[in-house]
Amino acid sequence: EVYSIAELLRRQRGGAAVVLGALSPRTRNAQVALYQSGDVDFIVATDAIGMGLNLDVDHVAFSATRKFDGQNHRNLTPSELSQIAGRAGRHMNDGTFGVTGAADPLDSDTIERLETHNFESVRTLQWRNRDLDFRTLEGLRHSLREMPNLQRLVRARAADDVVALETVCADRDLAAKVIAPAAVARLWEVCQIPDYRKISGQSHAELVSTIFGYLIGPDEHIPEDWFAKQVSLADRVDGDLDTLSNRIAHIRTWTFVSNRSSWLKDPEHWQGKTREIEDRLSDALHEQLTQRFVDQRTSALMKGMRDKDELHADIAADGAINVENHFVGRLKGFLFQLDPGAEGIQGKATRTAASQVLARELSMRARRVAAAQPDALSLNRRGRVLWREEEIGQLEATDDPLKPSVSILADEYISAPDREKVQARLEAWVAQTIADKLKPLVEISNAEDVTGLAKGIAFRMRENLGVLRREVVAEEIKSLDQNARSQLRKYGVRFGAFNIYFPILLKPAAAELVLTLWALKNASTHGMSSDALPEAPRAGLTSFAPDPACPEPFYRAYGYHVCGPRAVRLDMLERLADLIRPLLAWRSTNGSMPPKGATGDGGFTVIPEMMSLLGCSPDELGGVLKALGFRLDRRPIKQPAPAAIAAAEGEVVASTASEAEQPAIPADAAAPETVSASEASAATAPVPDAAPAVASETPAEAAPESAPPTAAPEAAAPEPTGATAAPAEAEIKYEDVWRPRRHQRTDRRPERRDNRNNRQRGGDRSAQSAPSAQPEATAAQPPTTADSGVAATEPATQAKPQRRDDRRPQGKDRTPDRGRDREHRRGGGGGQGDRHRREDRRKAEVHTAAPPRRGGIDPDSPFAALGALREELAKRSKESGA
């Protein structure tokens, strides 16, 4: 309990001295000197303070009025209470006394008796016989039990020496050796060793028996080696308070033994040795008590405030504030951080002392911030404005994401004029930083030449901090004319296949600022805290694996588009679309060599350039493509015959010269406006989440409509025989072909579907009345080219329509022969599978994963560019006669 009270006083009042009865005299005197010197204003003690200590005490507070006297717990008598309370005001003034909050209040009668010194007279005295009989052991014991012969005397209770004697006499072997009177006197002398250790009565009796055994032995002295070993066990100054107190109790025992000159051969040596060890342990215990229960800093401050009118305080270059050479806190920016160890009155004292230098230093810092250059300030991801790497301001979200408010992080020590100067400088710096790093976004928001729908797009880009999903504003984009598009492109807007964004905002500095502004307004909406944002992607990454627990808008604000297993930077995603687009559009013409990865049937295969662009594995790239709206087909790889390979090589060599004479056609020759390839083809590129679920990827999946049949031509070929028989069929290999995902069109006009159904029904009726010889003509159509996916050239003997009367019959005149003939020209084989596919096409119209379009082709769509390109190619072919 003494330690707990002293600890409480240390935290609230700077510390207290501690006086216990178990302390050595040297330690107790040192603690009293600590209190008397004024280093501490309180002393915590047991009832031992009432014995022989005259101190400058003004008030005595009892924390309890009961004690343990060694045998029982009992209440303190009024005389004992008076002896303790009398420490207050002795020789100086009229002191006071009372109780603490944990003690029961003193009753009025006790208080009156203490104040008037009115106590009951002593009626009995304790007595013990001093005429001891040393002739025999039993005679000694009997003399100690003798009763007093006076009425006011009572026999004293058994002391430690009597208890030790009775315990030793229980040992019959030892008692048999105590025969002579000298032995009895020596035993009683050994039993009088004080029990400083307070371990147990039996333990103390064993120590008495051991020492007595040495003294009655042949040498009649305690062995030097045994005594040195016992002394060495206590010769250590490490450990806590209890350990040091226990060692002091042991060494005091050996100090008492060494002062018996007849017990040791060299008593003077051991007297000096044990005294030295006891003093060293006492000093160590005093230091431990002072370190634990006294705060030197608070004590110095309290003493300085008591002795001086003003304390000396200064501030170091790193912001550390020292008062009277004691550290009290640190200045961070415009905030004073009090040392965590300062509490209660100590905190008030340190703040009072530190305020002398804080006002002067804060005024100087405010002037420096007001005149600081832009590069002297910075902004972290938490939205804190930093000056000299210290936080001095905090951004707060407003209705306008590009105009956050600024609040100063300062306490009451800064004056109002200084606060206004810092506020104005921070607001100007934040506005300038946003205008510099997000220049195109700020300019397009304030542009007066952006009108109509373009102005609406600009507003939405401002609200979304410069990034918009194209599918979100698909209808608005289709409604934009070329003038409106040029208004937006003027300020750096790029119309990508998947996103509309500002490429300049993808730079690391701009992306960091965009992410900070996004977090101010949207972090709480997505269950995040602006003070604990996830780590942003490392600058320069083209793609990375996103954290599933992190919301997608977080990565989008940083300039990344989450595509399945990877988050791809927006510009890299457009470059991927630029790689895929020509592969999808390529068709075999005049035997030209296909580009790497093109299949010629509206699909493509993965090429290393795609994985290198994103920095990912093939499996991750497949996940990206699925998320972008592509589906995977697995088709067998056609192995051409050696003769076909040789013929093809010959044709390629023969056509090289003629192809070299053809004029080159630029890729953008038929573009309706000067735009990039990715902008012009935004409509054809698949849009994420715009298509239904991915179809099955098994080899048994039906091939797309544009894929050429491979089994029918092989079945129609004659079987080789004899010496020219083909080798055994090789193992079939498959390749992965990616195609735009198809989905049901829902925006067709009902009347168009009805017209198509009417024409179909008319064709069916005409088929029933057609001659039976027509199917043979269908079988005579030429086969398709297996690897190109387009129909082969018709034979020269086939009649070409030259008159208007030779046109295709309509309605009832249509025949199934011409229908199959038309399928041959498209590349079909006229088989059962072709008929099923034609029936599927009659049931539902399908198209690519691009968003559904109404009102014709989008002028910005690559379909318009492809149509113009085809017309130009046909025109040039006609002029050249090819």
Side-chain angles (χ1 to χ4, degrees):
E1 185 179 357
V2 172
Y3 287 167
S4 62
I5 295 176
E7 181 68 26
L8 181 62
L9 288 172
R10 184 196 70 82
R11 294 199 304 266
Q12 295 188 354
R13 299 287 181 170
V18 177
V19 175
L20 304 175
L23 298 179
S24 65
R26 185 182 180 92
T27 303
R28 184 172 61 227
N29 293 338
Q31 288 292 302
V32 170
L34 178 66
Y35 170 77
Q36 288 291 108
S37 65
D39 291 340
V40 293
D41 293 334
F42 299 89
I43 184 170
V44 182
T46 61
D47 58 344
I49 194 176
M51 303 299 294
L53 292 178
N54 294 326
L55 306 173
D56 296 333
V57 177
D58 295 328
H59 180 80
V60 173
F62 291 92
S63 63
T65 56
R66 291 176 59 84
K67 66 170 290 187
F68 179 72
D69 60 3
Q71 291 184 349
N72 300 305
H73 288 277
R74 64 176 180 84
N75 293 328
L76 292 175
T77 64
S79 61
E80 292 172 334
L81 291 173
S82 176
Q83 184 72 12
I84 298 172
R87 302 301 99 188
R90 177 162 297 200
H91 298 302
M92 298 294 294
N93 51 37
D94 189 9
T96 58
F97 66 91
V99 296
T100 63
D104 295 332
L106 299 174
D107 58 83
S108 57
D109 181 62
T110 302
I111 294 174
E112 182 180 359
R113 296 176 67 178
L114 293 179
E115 290 180 344
T116 60
H117 299 279
N118 183 15
F119 307 114
E120 294 181 358
S121 59
V122 178
R123 297 183 179 181
T124 59
L125 297 175
Q126 292 186 354
W127 175 87
R128 190 174 77 170
N129 186 17
R130 65 178 180 179
D131 295 330
L132 303 179
D133 183 6
F134 294 107
R135 291 175 297 178
T136 61
L137 185 58
E138 288 298 326
L140 175 63
R141 298 172 61 190
H142 179 73
S143 62
L144 289 172
R145 300 192 193 106
E146 187 175 346
M147 299 294 294
N149 53 9
L150 296 178
Q151 185 177 1
R152 289 194 172 187
L153 298 179
V154 295
R155 190 180 69 177
R157 64 185 184 184
D160 292 340
D161 52 359
V162 177
V163 174
L165 178 63
E166 294 294 335
T167 305
V168 169
C169 290
D171 186 356
R172 296 182 180 180
D173 294 337
L174 183 62
K177 299 178 182 180
V178 184
I179 300 176
V184 175
R186 179 59 63 87
L187 177 60
W188 176 244
E189 185 179 4
V190 175
C191 288
Q192 289 181 315
I193 297 176
D195 187 11
Y196 294 114
R197 301 181 302 167
K198 299 294 182 182
I199 300 176
S200 65
Q202 183 64 34
S203 177
H204 183 64
E206 291 177 358
L207 175 63
V208 170
S209 299
T210 302
I211 294 178
F212 178 73
Y214 288 136
L215 294 179
I216 64 175
D219 197 15
E220 296 184 353
H221 290 90
I222 299 176
E224 294 284 334
D225 54 350
W226 181 85
F227 192 79
K229 181 179 179 180
Q230 301 303 317
V231 172
S232 64
L233 294 177
D235 191 10
R236 293 176 56 186
V237 294
D238 59 323
D240 55 9
L241 293 176
D242 294 336
T243 302
L244 292 175
S245 299
N246 189 36
R247 290 175 186 161
I248 290 177
H250 280 75
I251 199 63
R252 292 183 70 188
T253 301
W254 305 124
T255 301
F256 182 89
V257 172
S258 65
N259 280 277
R260 301 296 182 178
S261 58
S262 60
W263 293 6
L264 294 170
K265 293 182 179 179
D266 189 2
E268 295 181 356
H269 166 73
W270 290 112
Q271 289 173 8
K273 181 69 173 178
T274 55
R275 176 61 64 183
E276 177 187 357
I277 295 175
E278 183 179 348
D279 291 345
R280 191 162 59 249
L281 289 172
S282 299
D283 294 340
L285 181 59
H286 170 68
E287 292 177 1
Q288 286 276 6
L289 289 171
T290 304
Q291 181 179 358
R292 178 172 176 179
F293 301 118
V294 178
D295 190 333
Q296 297 289 351
R297 175 186 56 194
T298 304
S299 298
L301 291 175
M302 298 297 292
K303 185 176 181 181
M305 294 177 65
R306 184 171 57 248
D307 299 340
K308 300 179 182 180
D309 295 335
E310 182 177 350
L311 298 178
H312 173 69
D314 58 0
I315 182 170
D318 59 350
I321 298 178
N322 297 297
V323 178
E324 296 294 335
N325 297 325
H326 291 280
F327 174 75
V328 297
R330 189 177 300 276
L331 185 62
K332 288 285 190 180
F334 294 101
L335 291 174
F336 173 60
Q337 298 178 352
L338 185 67
D339 184 36
E343 300 176 1
I345 191 173
Q346 176 187 353
K348 298 178 181 178
T350 53
R351 285 183 178 273
T352 302
S355 62
Q356 301 175 13
V357 295
L358 282 175
R360 183 174 62 255
E361 177 66 20
L362 290 177
S363 179
M364 185 181 301
R365 291 192 174 193
R367 291 194 300 270
R368 292 175 181 173
V369 171
Q373 296 296 323
D375 56 356
L377 301 173
S378 60
L379 184 69
N380 62 13
R381 293 181 56 207
R382 299 169 55 196
R384 303 292 177 88
V385 181
L386 306 181
W387 177 69
R388 293 182 177 179
E389 302 303 325
E390 296 177 353
E391 298 178 354
I392 62 173
Q394 169 69 53
L395 297 187
E396 296 178 358
T398 61
D399 294 337
D400 191 339
L402 297 182
K403 293 182 179 180
S405 61
V406 185
S407 59
I408 300 178
L409 301 178
D411 48 30
E412 68 275 8
Y413 295 106
I414 187 172
S415 63
D418 292 337
R419 181 185 292 270
E420 293 176 0
K421 288 190 295 186
V422 175
Q423 178 79 27
R425 180 67 184 101
L426 295 186
E427 290 178 352
W429 178 83
V430 170
Q432 181 182 358
T433 301
I434 294 177
D436 292 343
K437 294 184 178 180
L438 309 182
K439 181 178 180 180
L441 187 58
V442 174
E443 289 181 347
I444 200 172
S445 302
N446 303 326
E448 297 181 357
D449 56 347
V450 178
T451 59
L453 289 177
K455 191 173 185 64
I457 296 294
F459 177 80
R460 296 192 64 173
M461 295 198 72
R462 178 189 181 94
E463 290 295 313
N464 291 272
L465 296 171
V467 180
L468 276 178
R469 280 181 175 268
R470 180 154 186 150
E471 62 180 6
V472 175
V473 291
E475 296 298 329
E476 292 86 342
I477 294 300
K478 286 190 297 183
S479 302
L480 289 177
D481 56 15
Q482 293 302 320
N483 183 36
R485 294 170 186 266
S486 63
Q487 292 176 5
L488 296 176
R489 292 193 185 97
K490 175 183 176 182
Y491 291 95
V493 176
R494 178 173 180 181
F495 294 89
F498 305 99
N499 299 280
I500 302 173
Y501 63 100
F502 292 94
I504 195 173
L505 298 187
L506 300 182
K507 294 184 178 180
E512 285 285 349
L513 180 56
V514 169
L515 184 62
T516 300
L517 297 178
W518 176 89
L520 290 177
K521 195 170 184 178
N522 302 292
S524 59
T525 306
H526 296 278
M528 304 169 65
S529 173
S530 58
D531 292 335
L533 291 177
E535 287 296 328
R538 190 178 73 253
L541 287 178
T542 59
S543 72
F544 63 93
D547 184 1
C550 189
E552 189 271 344
F554 173 82
Y555 295 118
R556 176 166 292 276
Y558 201 69
Y560 286 82
H561 187 120
V562 178
C563 307
R566 305 289 291 182
V568 186
R569 205 170 66 196
L570 300 182
D571 56 343
M572 294 297 106
L573 192 62
E574 298 305 326
R575 291 180 60 181
L576 177 64
D578 292 342
L579 287 178
I580 295 175
R581 190 175 298 107
L583 304 184
L584 294 176
W586 182 84
R587 295 294 185 272
S588 176
T589 57
N590 298 329
S592 61
M593 294 298 294
K596 186 178 180 181
T599 59
D601 56 357
F604 69 95
T605 60
V606 172
I607 58 177
E609 288 79 0
M610 299 178 185
M611 293 180 288
S612 176
L613 185 66
L614 302 188
C616 63
S617 64
D619 293 339
E620 292 174 329
L621 180 58
V624 171
L625 294 175
K626 289 180 182 179
L628 292 179
F630 291 93
R631 62 185 177 87
L632 178 64
D633 285 344
R634 298 196 66 196
R635 70 176 189 182
I637 300 176
K638 178 65 177 179
Q639 299 294 338
I645 296 176
E649 291 178 353
E651 293 178 0
V652 170
V653 173
S655 63
T656 302
S658 61
E659 290 178 359
E661 297 175 358
Q662 298 295 329
I665 301 176
D668 57 350
E673 55 179 341
T674 306
V675 296
S676 63
S678 59
E679 295 179 10
S681 61
T684 59
V687 179
D689 304 329
V694 179
S696 173
E697 299 180 8
T698 59
E701 180 184 1
E705 299 174 3
S706 58
T710 56
E714 292 177 2
E719 189 73 20
T721 57
T724 61
E729 183 178 358
E731 181 182 358
I732 299 177
K733 297 182 180 180
Y734 295 89
E735 64 177 350
D736 294 338
V737 178
W738 292 93
R739 307 179 189 280
R741 188 183 303 167
R742 300 174 181 272
H743 60 270
Q744 181 71 31
R745 258 193 96 149
T746 59
D747 61 341
R748 289 284 188 183
R749 297 180 180 177
E751 57 271 16
R752 293 185 179 180
R753 185 178 296 107
D754 295 338
N755 293 338
R756 185 173 65 253
N757 293 335
N758 292 335
R759 290 196 300 269
Q760 179 64 37
R761 287 194 295 269
D764 294 340
R765 286 192 298 268
S766 63
Q768 296 174 2
S769 60
S772 59
Q774 292 294 335
E776 297 179 2
T778 303
Q781 296 293 332
T784 59
T785 305
D787 57 348
S788 65
V790 297
T793 305
E794 297 182 0
T797 59
Q798 184 177 350
K800 297 183 180 180
Q802 297 178 358
R803 298 187 307 274
R804 191 175 184 87
D805 298 337
D806 294 336
R807 290 181 178 180
R808 293 180 299 177
Q810 301 292 332
K812 297 181 180 181
D813 296 334
R814 296 179 62 185
T815 63
D817 304 332
R818 293 186 179 274
R820 283 191 294 271
D821 180 63
R822 188 164 58 252
E823 289 299 320
H824 274 290
R825 286 195 296 272
R826 291 178 182 174
Q832 185 70 21
D834 297 330
R835 287 195 295 274
H836 286 307
R837 284 193 290 272
R838 289 197 299 274
E839 293 175 0
D840 293 339
R841 287 197 295 274
R842 296 189 188 105
K843 294 178 182 179
E845 288 289 338
V846 294
H847 67 103
T848 64
R853 308 187 180 280
R854 298 183 179 90
I857 298 177
D858 184 357
D860 195 41
S861 169
F863 288 142
L866 289 175
L869 181 59
R870 288 172 179 171
E871 292 177 2
E872 181 68 19
L873 289 174
K875 180 179 178 181
R876 295 191 181 189
S877 299
K878 185 176 181 180
E879 293 175 354
S880 61

